Amino acid sequence: MRVYDKKQLVKLISEEKQCPKMAQNYRLSPATIVAYDLTGLGLNGPKSLILDQEQGFLLSPASTSSLLRQLLASCPFDLWPLEHLAYDKLGLRDQHVLSLGHYALFSPKALKSGRVDLIALQQVRSIRELDGQMAFVDQSGCRCFLLEYPRTFARARKAAREAIAHNALIGSWLHQTEEFFGCRACIDQRQSKRQLAERSLLDQQLKTGKCLAVKEAADQVRQTCWEDYLHLVGDELWLDEQVGDLDYFWRENRKKHQWHC
């Protein structure tokens, strides 16, 4: 099995023993396997090292945090509030994963910590500890990627299991939406195989009643965003008395965009 370690890869690049090409406009995708953040490691220019399933090793001038922001910005709808709701419904405090249903980008460190290394969970067959780091064995069993973790391996392993459950919940909402619009190919794919190891964690969430229907989840996200806006207007502009009026105008405006028969 070939083991990939960020420090060793950086050393090879700095010594020009390995020369990945610079991908100026790289975007994270289902083909991404691992993304190492290179910020502050002494390399002039590249801020991340990426292994892509189709393109091999690549360098990017964007940090991993920037790549995550670009991915969220390219989403057809505002995904982050839905991610937050899933964290809340599962009772998870720290955010370690960006879940997209058919793929999920996980970091042993909390995403808000900035300099994070990312592994695509759909590419992972097993997780273990190796040389004091978190080792992710890919589906072929021939490659292993090492990522540093804070505190203890037990907590990092727990964070990975929670990330899988989080992605399963997001995936269930996305699949409900696809089924509503009759996306047959996606329905057939979901019935034929499960995308991530330990997807059975979703079944546990269903049994405990923590899994919402996608309509209910979307309504909660919309209501939370609107309430946050009203509080912001009231607190920042001292318009507490007008907050009720704003709520009334919002409800009246929504009526114009509803179907009446």
Side-chain angles (χ1 to χ4, degrees):
M1 181 186 300
R2 185 167 185 180
V3 178
Y4 294 88
D5 177 73
K6 180 167 76 169
K7 292 180 180 178
Q8 293 179 358
L9 289 169
V10 169
K11 183 179 179 181
L12 291 173
I13 293 171
S14 62
E15 294 175 352
E16 298 185 353
K17 294 180 179 179
Q18 186 167 339
C19 302
K21 69 176 182 179
M22 181 70 78
Q24 295 288 344
N25 300 313
Y26 184 81
R27 294 292 183 268
L28 298 173
S29 73
T32 303
I33 299 175
V34 66
Y36 289 116
D37 192 89
L38 304 179
T39 307
L41 295 182
L43 294 178
N44 185 21
K47 293 184 179 179
S48 60
L49 172 65
I50 301 144
L51 177 59
D52 186 275
Q53 197 169 17
E54 300 170 357
Q55 303 180 65
F57 276 108
L58 302 167
L59 293 172
S60 170
S63 66
T64 53
S65 294
S66 295
L67 290 172
L68 284 173
R69 286 194 295 271
Q70 291 169 5
L71 179 60
L72 282 169
S74 66
C75 184
F77 59 92
D78 192 0
L79 179 64
W80 196 238
L82 200 63
E83 300 271 333
H84 272 290
L85 181 63
Y87 279 114
D88 181 61
K89 293 303 175 184
L90 295 174
L92 306 180
R93 185 182 64 180
D94 295 324
Q95 299 167 350
H96 289 268
V97 65
L98 179 61
S99 297
L100 297 134
H102 286 283
Y103 69 111
L105 297 166
F106 169 77
S107 170
K109 299 178 181 178
L111 296 179
K112 65 181 181 182
S113 60
R115 298 179 182 179
V116 295
D117 298 327
L118 303 169
I119 186 78
L121 289 178
Q122 81 279 2
Q123 304 280 2
V124 175
R125 187 171 75 176
S126 64
I127 302 173
R128 65 185 71 166
E129 187 176 21
L130 180 64
D131 297 333
Q133 298 188 74
M134 206 168 184
F136 297 85
V137 180
D138 73 354
Q139 296 286 359
S140 69
C142 300
R143 296 180 298 188
C144 177
F145 304 95
L146 301 184
L147 277 72
E148 294 181 352
Y149 59 83
R151 297 184 290 272
T152 66
F153 175 73
R155 294 187 66 170
R157 183 70 179 86
K158 181 174 180 287
R161 291 177 61 85
E162 291 171 346
I164 293 168
H166 183 273
N167 185 74
L169 180 52
I170 291 289
S172 75
W173 290 340
L174 295 176
H175 279 124
Q176 287 175 53
T177 305
E178 290 161 342
E179 289 177 8
F180 176 80
F181 288 105
C183 297
R184 188 74 248 170
C186 193
I187 297 170
D188 293 340
Q189 184 180 24
R190 183 165 68 112
Q191 292 173 346
S192 65
K193 66 177 182 178
R194 298 190 170 196
Q195 291 297 310
L196 299 179
E198 300 180 50
R199 180 59 70 87
S200 59
L201 283 172
L202 175 60
D203 299 331
Q204 298 174 20
Q205 303 302 334
L206 287 168
K207 291 177 182 177
T208 57
K210 293 182 179 178
C211 184
L212 297 175
V214 64
K215 176 66 167 60
E216 187 180 354
D219 288 344
Q220 285 195 21
V221 167
R222 185 185 302 109
Q223 184 62 27
T224 299
C225 291
W226 176 241
E227 289 175 356
D228 288 344
Y229 169 74
L230 291 180
H231 286 306
L232 183 64
V233 169
D235 293 342
E236 296 294 329
L237 301 179
W238 298 285
L239 296 176
D240 293 329
E241 295 181 359
Q242 282 74 35
V243 164
D245 294 335
L246 288 173
D247 193 48
Y248 167 77
F249 293 139
W250 168 249
R251 285 185 280 107
E252 289 298 309
N253 182 65
R254 288 196 64 194
K255 289 180 182 178
K256 294 181 181 180
H257 300 280
Q258 292 175 346
W259 181 45
H260 300 281
C261 59

